[in-house]
Amino acid sequence: MTETRGATASEPDFLTSTRTFYDAVAEDYAALFERELVGRPLERAILQVFAELVGGEGPVADLGCGPGRTTARLASLGLDVFGLDLSDSMLAVARRESPGLRFVQGSMLDLDIPDGTLAGALSWYSSIHTPADELPALFAEFHRVLAPGGHLLVAFQVGDQHRHHDRPWGRPVSLTFLRRRPAEMIRLLTEAGFTLLSQTVREPEESLEETSPQAFLIARKPAVVAS
């Protein structure tokens, strides 16, 4: 697996805009969410469940890892995990904060990972910039890299009204954060070949300044059935 995979001339515009946005705000974002899991006991519990489901069966990828806090959490739970992200600046934060873990640059839509090699994959709020018509390809890629019996955890904000951030922290960038309906995400995961194991939706937490419910789906790539 290569450590750095930059933009290409044929890269979709949404990937370029996502990379540009997070490269610009990485340090501000990392500071704002420095203790992002501290006030989120349900999220910690879901990550614990995911870690137990995956067990010690093989490598796990945190896809769209950002500053690597969730990657580090999974490592603390005993998983052999690495992080992947589009943004050089986010990866710089992750490598600085968790020097003992591996972080690589890449796109979730074109993973430099052999077929069927991961025991687990995590998409922790990282599909929220992927247009709806690209989600089938995204979930097909997740399915491709997971081993039979491997587990996937997808987290996202719930809703129909998307949220646009323009010039956050005064930076000259903007990006739209896409909200989804769990039923639609479950349908797409099922069509990609996954079996849903659990669906959790919690209400927005006022103390965390949330404005929408949060959803967490755990799915499994079916094991190969012996003939």
Side-chain angles (χ1 to χ4, degrees), residues 19-31 87 89-90 167-169 171-173:
R19 176 189 287 107
T20 300
F21 181 88
Y22 284 107
D23 276 345
V25 305
E27 294 293 343
D28 304 293
Y29 180 100
S87 167
S89 297
M90 281 292 197
R167 299 185 64 85
W169 296 286
R171 309 296 184 187
V173 290

Side-chain angles (χ1 to χ4, degrees), residues 13-175:
D13 288 345
F14 78 90
L15 290 181
T16 302
S17 61
T18 300
R19 176 189 287 107
T20 300
F21 181 88
Y22 284 107
D23 276 345
V25 305
E27 294 293 343
D28 304 293
Y29 180 100
L32 178 64
F33 294 105
E34 183 178 9
R35 296 169 58 81
E36 60 184 308
L37 288 173
V38 171
R40 293 174 166 85
L42 181 61
E43 280 85 334
R44 295 198 304 272
I46 289 170
L47 290 171
Q48 176 72 51
V49 169
F50 175 71
E52 291 189 21
L53 287 170
V54 173
E57 298 301 317
V60 175
D62 182 2
L63 302 171
C65 65
R69 275 70 180 271
T70 309
T71 322
R73 181 73 180 183
L74 292 177
S76 75
L77 295 173
L79 297 185
D80 174 18
V81 61
F82 68 92
L84 176 143
D85 204 87
L86 275 175
S87 167
D88 277 328
S89 297
M90 281 292 197
L91 290 169
V93 174
R95 289 166 180 151
R96 182 181 71 222
E97 294 191 354
S98 301
L101 299 179
R102 184 165 66 96
F103 295 96
V104 299
Q105 187 184 43
S107 165
M108 297 189 299
L109 282 161
D110 183 22
L111 294 168
D112 188 18
I113 300 172
D115 294 0
T117 56
L118 296 180
L122 178 74
S123 176
W124 195 254
Y125 296 96
S126 57
S127 66
I128 63 174
H129 307 303
T130 303
D133 60 357
E134 294 283 356
L135 288 176
L138 181 68
F139 293 157
E141 186 70 345
F142 292 169
H143 190 274
R144 179 187 69 80
V145 298
L146 279 168
H151 290 84
L152 172 70
L153 170 55
V154 181
F156 55 95
Q157 293 97 350
V158 176
D160 301 309
Q161 299 297 316
H162 305 321
R163 188 171 184 179
H164 188 74
H165 291 266
D166 188 49
R167 299 185 64 85
W169 296 286
R171 309 296 184 187
V173 290
S174 63
L175 192 65

